[in-house]
Amino acid sequence: MIDLSVLAPDVANIAKEAGAYLRKSQTNFDRNLVELKSLNALVSNVDRSAEKLIVSALKLLIPEAGFLTEEGTTPQDTTKQYLWVIDPLDGTTNFVHGLPIFSVSIALLHHGEPVLGVVYEVGMDESFTAYKDGGAFLNGSPISVTSTKELKNTLLATGFPYYEFSKLQGFQNTLAHFYQHTRGVRRIGTAAVDLAYTACGRFDGYFEYGLSPWDVAAGIVLVREAGGIVTNFENINVAIASDSIIAANKSIHPLVYTTIKQHVR
Ligand code: IPD
Ligand code: CA
Ligand code: CA
């Protein structure tokens, strides 16, 4: 097994370098260069260039590892013992519209289990890192999920559905419940940062459906290492290949799960 404590700072540096490229590219970014992959799924040459930069640097760290990347700029071989799962730019819509919250998300899986996660939030220059049994950190300082026990004292985060509307009514009803029983619900536009903010206690919990592995793989490690619980909408502790997620501290997770179960079919 690779020494994750040695690997983590190198991966964090690679995420930071990609972040610096994204930051520079956002200035004077031409919105006309955006392409549509599918309904409301934006992509640009910036996403692809950032991914190539990350992939070539990671190849030097573990030459035998496979890749699962959002933009598919390198062959995708998910059968390898070690697998990098990468979203080079999480929050593309924010990026394209000039909003300052977007991130780089890099996870390492070992036999399918996420064991290392790095989320670099570009706007605030915040590096979130965690590896299995090593704890979670923000810019080098330990972080943990909140200890909030009651829903009425929570700030929750979510992502609004934007292409998969099958659960829309149940989702709206869930939100209606949380509007009335929490301090508020945020939609900041990057799932990786939603999870990082849950790990460091800015959010008490986060839920969303319609996600891909690269949106959540790194953030799952962060939340678990910060003492939180991560499951899907069925309350199953799946690794990354589930399209729904609930992440929260131990007290709030069951309350969020129960509400979703009541409303979302
Ligand atoms: C998106 C962001 C967003 C979430 C979407 C993701 P992208 O990723 O994480 O917060 O709501 O489901 O697809 O497209 O910006 O990499
Ligand atoms: Ca994403
Ligand atoms: Ca992306």
Side-chain angles (χ1 to χ4, degrees):
M1 175 82 178
I2 284 169
D3 187 339
L4 298 172
S5 69
V6 175
L7 195 63
D10 289 341
V11 179
N13 283 337
I14 292 167
K16 225 170 174 169
E17 274 166 36
Y21 166 74
L22 295 176
R23 188 182 294 114
K24 194 174 73 183
S25 306
Q26 199 189 28
T27 320
N28 304 323
F29 180 77
D30 181 356
R31 224 186 265 185
N32 295 320
L33 297 177
V34 169
E35 297 157 40
L36 262 192
K37 285 192 285 192
S38 53
L39 179 64
N40 293 330
L42 311 184
V43 69
S44 74
N45 61 316
V46 174
D47 302 65
R48 294 193 191 99
S49 302
E51 185 174 294
K52 285 182 190 158
L53 187 158
I54 294 164
V55 166
S56 54
L58 291 177
K59 275 182 179 163
L60 300 176
L61 293 184
I62 315 177
E64 69 275 21
F67 285 91
L68 175 63
T69 67
E70 177 167 23
E71 308 309 340
T73 62
T74 192
Q76 312 282 294
D77 184 351
T78 56
T79 61
K80 298 284 175 66
Q81 170 183 180
Y82 285 103
L83 179 69
W84 293 109
V85 181
I86 301 165
D87 191 336
L89 169 46
D90 190 52
T92 298
T93 307
N94 284 354
F95 176 91
V96 166
H97 287 262
L99 299 179
I101 302 185
F102 49 89
S103 63
V104 177
S105 176
I106 304 175
L108 180 68
L109 271 56
H110 184 233
H111 293 304
E113 185 197 2
V115 291
L116 183 149
V118 170
V119 174
Y120 178 63
E121 198 287 300
V122 179
M124 300 254 285
D125 185 26
E126 289 189 324
S127 174
F128 297 86
T129 58
Y131 59 86
K132 196 166 188 274
D133 302 326
F137 299 85
L138 162 53
N139 289 344
S141 300
I143 52 173
S144 67
V145 296
T146 62
S147 52
T148 313
K149 293 200 167 39
E150 294 180 85
L151 208 52
K152 67 175 192 243
N153 295 324
T154 61
L155 181 63
L156 300 182
T158 190
F160 302 144
Y162 62 96
Y163 73 96
E164 212 277 80
F165 300 115
S166 62
K167 300 185 176 77
L168 193 57
Q169 196 52 55
F171 187 84
Q172 304 276 50
N173 295 342
T174 303
L175 280 182
H177 180 87
F178 290 143
Y179 294 154
Q180 299 168 84
H181 295 94
T182 67
R183 289 183 180 173
V185 184
R186 297 287 178 267
R187 197 293 190 245
I188 63 171
T190 144
V193 175
D194 287 317
L195 287 161
Y197 282 10
T198 301
C200 75
R202 291 176 187 160
F203 295 141
D204 298 285
Y206 158 68
F207 62 97
E208 182 167 353
Y209 77 87
L211 294 161
S212 300
W214 42 78
D215 298 317
V216 296
I220 287 174
V221 187
L222 291 172
V223 172
R224 288 192 176 141
E225 284 300 320
I229 306 214
V230 186
T231 68
N232 62 13
F233 280 8
E234 281 74 50
N235 209 21
I236 297 167
N237 228 342
V238 285
I240 58 162
S242 168
D243 91 323
S244 64
I245 191 162
I246 304 172
N249 78 35
K250 289 189 174 73
S251 307
I252 297 304
H253 185 282
L255 305 178
V256 173
Y257 164 66
T258 311
T259 306
I260 289 175
K261 192 178 166 209
Q262 220 178 327
H263 296 293
V264 180
R265 307 256 162 244

